[in-house]
Each structure stands twice: as structure tokens, then as C-alpha cells.
């Protein structure tokens, strides 16, 4: 399905922004902008504004997290710390560099880390004139599958599209326009070259700021065998090293995570920056899978 959308997004992007016919542009068509193409639009103006992070949370004003612990161990344990927390409110931002400009998709929602599922509402880029011409896209993230509603062109109104994330070449780390909040943390199990930047205050919460590089292949191995999104990503990314910056609170929970993916060959690939924020731990996560009759199984046709 993603491959079928790539031609449309590349053609549309060229019309709107005259992108060069490069390998990087082709790669871009296969990643985050596949979502935008599916909604019948090309990338809008290159907004570089950061998405508003999720706010609130129960640990405001917590004491400064200690620095004596091994920062690498804390980072590699981040996914388990989220599972222990149970759930959280999340905010997402995905920025893609293409043709010398930035394309940004933002989202808000909640995630149940124990069940590995959550719900996001994504806001797509504005058009070239600055108008918001598309409805927000609702995404349901589940282990091994992504459901999208209001995907746009080629899908009847009110219907959902189901995507097998274990079959995507990037494991849905970038394709859906938002990185799965749990998968983003699981990727840190492959962290190496981790250094402590220092202690900071993030939205009123004391955090440890660390940076390093996560290896997708190592994270996939640590996730266990079988067809998993990380296993697909380990095979699909030519560049498997993912530079990251993470902010962890006193309980070892991620409060903010930024990961830099290179989609395509190192020399010509497209840079994708995914940022996820976490707060309000323990929040309720409204979630219900769509009924079978509401899932669109027809062929998706995109204009050339």
C-alpha cells in the first residue's frame, strides 16, 4: 500500500514545491509523507515550529533525579519504565527535510504501554497557501497493525485503513506520520555511546538529559524473534544508527524523546526527526478497534 502511494506524493510534492528528482525525494515519498499523500495532499509550507508538548503530569516539582546511576542503563530500561507506568498522554511531532524545506506533522493522544496500543489525532501540514485543507487523521496503534481513519483520497468517508506494520520497510517508525510511542522507547534498548548532558527542568519536572545513538538491529534482536516492526525496520533502513536525545524523570520514565532517522542511503537519504512527549502517567486510554465492516479493503487508487 505504501509503495502505491509513493508515486502520488512525489508528483504532488513536485507540483507544489518543485522538488528535485533525486533519490532523497523518492525516499521521502516512502516515509512520513506517505500519510500526507494518502490524504490527497502534498507537503504544505515548511513550518519548523515545534509541536506543543503534552503538559501536566503528576510529578511536577519532583526532586532532581540522581546522576550517580548509569545513564546508558536508564535509557535502555526506558521502555520497561513506561510499561511499569501503565499509560500516559502523548504528543508527537514528525519533521522531514525534503527539497531544502521542512514538512511537519503533529499529533496528540494517549497510549497504553501495557497493552501496546494507543490512539492519536494527527494534524497534517497546511497547503502552499497556508490553509488547513484536510481533516485530522485518527490513528489507532496496536501491536503489529496501524489503523487510519480519514486517510483521505481513495478511501470512502468514515472508513478505516489497516496497515500491517511488520510488513512496512521502516516498521512504521516514520511511515504513519508519527512514531509509535512505545516503539520509540523500545528502540533505546539498542542504545550505545550514551552520555549524560546534565540535569534540567522540563515543563516543571526535573529530568536527566542524555544523548546517544540507538542501533535498530540491536534493539530488534533484544525485542525477541518473530516478525516485529523493529525487525522490519532493521532490514528496511540502510542507516540503522539513530541519534537520539532523551529526557527521563526520577522514576526513569521518558518525558521527551527525539530520534533522528535517515530514510534511504546515508549520502542521499531523507532526514526525519521524530519527537515524542510523555506526561499524565496513569491516564485513561479510550480505545476501541473498528468493526470489520468499517475497515476498507478495496484498492486505493492515487492519481499520478
Amino acid at each position: 500500500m505504501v509503495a502505491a502511494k509513493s508515486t502520488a506524493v512525489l508528483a504532488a510534492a513536485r507540483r507544489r514545491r518543485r522538488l528535485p528528482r533525486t533519490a532523497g525525494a523518492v525516499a521521502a515519498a516512502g516515509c512520513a509523507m506517505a500519510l500526507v499523500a494518502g490524504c490527497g495532499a502534498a507537503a504544505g509550507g515548511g513550518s519548523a515550529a515545534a509541536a506543543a508538548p503534552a503538559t501536566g503530569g503528576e510529578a511536577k516539582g519532583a526532586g532532581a533525579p540522581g546522576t550517580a546511576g548509569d545513564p546508558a542503563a536508564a535509557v535502555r530500561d526506558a521502555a520497561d519504565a513506561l510499561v511499569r507506568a501503565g499509560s500516559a498522554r502523548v504528543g508527537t511531532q514528525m519533521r522531514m527535510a525534503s527539497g531544502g524545506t521542512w514538512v511537519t506533522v503533529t499529533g496528540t493522544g494517549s497510549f497504553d504501554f501495557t497493552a501496546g496500543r494507543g490512539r492519536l489525532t494527527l494534524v497534517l501540514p497546511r497547503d502552499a497557501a497556508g490553509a488547513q485543507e484536510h481533516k485530522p487523521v485518527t490513528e489507532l496503534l496496536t501491536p503489529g497493525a496501524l489503523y487510519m481513519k480519514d486517510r483521505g483520497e481513495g478511501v470512502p468517508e468514515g472508513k478505516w485503513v489497516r496497515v500491517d506494520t511488520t510488513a512496512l520497510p521502516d516498521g512504521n517508525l516514520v511511515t504513519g506520520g508519527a512514531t509509535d510511542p512505545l516503539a520509540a522507547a523500545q528502540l533505546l534498548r539498542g542504545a550505545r555511546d550514551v552520555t549524560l548532558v546534565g540535569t534540567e527542568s522540563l515543563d516543571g519536572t526535573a529530568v536527566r538529559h542524555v544523548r546517544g545513538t540507538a542501533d535498530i538491529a540491536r534493539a530488534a534482536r533484544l525485542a525477541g524473534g518473530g516478525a516485529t516492526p523493529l525487525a522490519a525496520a532493521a532490514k528496511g533502513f540502510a542507516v540503522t544508527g539513530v541519534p537520539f536525545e532523551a529526557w527521563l524523570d526520577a522514576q526513569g520514565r521518558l518525558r521527551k524523546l527525539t530520534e533522528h532517522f535517515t530514510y534511504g542511503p546515508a549520502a542521499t537519504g531523507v532526514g526525519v526527526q521524530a519527537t515524542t512527549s510523555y506526561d499524565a502517567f496513569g491516564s485513561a486510554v479510550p480505545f476501541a478497534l473498528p468493526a470489520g465492516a468499517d475497515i476498507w479493503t478495496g484498492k486505493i487508487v492515487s492519481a499520478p
Side-chain angles (χ1 to χ4, degrees), residues 211-240:
R211 65 164 57 107
T213 301
D215 186 280
I216 301 175
R218 185 172 188 271
R221 289 194 300 270
L222 293 173
T228 66
L230 282 180
K235 296 178 181 178
F237 277 89
V239 180
T240 60

Side-chain angles (χ1 to χ4, degrees), residues 1 7 10 13 64 73 83 90 107 121 131 146 156 181 263 285 297:
M1 184 190 308
T7 301
L10 181 56
V83 172
V90 296
T121 299
L146 167 69
Y263 197 87
V285 180
T297 58

Side-chain angles (χ1 to χ4, degrees), residues 141-242:
L141 300 98
T142 70
L146 167 69
Y147 297 83
M148 295 183 288
K149 186 178 181 181
D150 292 325
R151 177 193 170 276
E153 185 177 354
V155 180
E157 186 175 357
K159 294 291 186 179
W160 294 81
V161 174
R162 182 185 185 280
V163 179
D164 179 0
T165 55
T166 65
L168 293 174
D170 73 313
N172 195 40
L173 290 176
V174 296
T175 292
T179 301
D180 179 311
L182 181 57
Q186 290 172 333
L187 185 55
L188 298 181
R189 289 186 175 134
R192 53 183 171 81
D193 302 327
V194 178
T195 59
L196 175 66
V197 178
T199 57
E200 304 172 7
S201 177
L202 181 64
D203 295 328
T205 297
V207 293
R208 266 200 299 180
H209 178 188
V210 299
R211 65 164 57 107
T213 301
D215 186 280
I216 301 175
R218 185 172 188 271
R221 289 194 300 270
L222 293 173
T228 66
L230 282 180
K235 296 178 181 178
F237 277 89
V239 180
T240 60
V242 179

Side-chain angles (χ1 to χ4, degrees), residues 49-52 92-94 104-108 121-125 177:
T92 69
Q93 179 198 68
M94 185 164 286
T104 306
V105 178
T106 61
T108 56
T121 299
L122 302 188
V123 178
L124 305 180

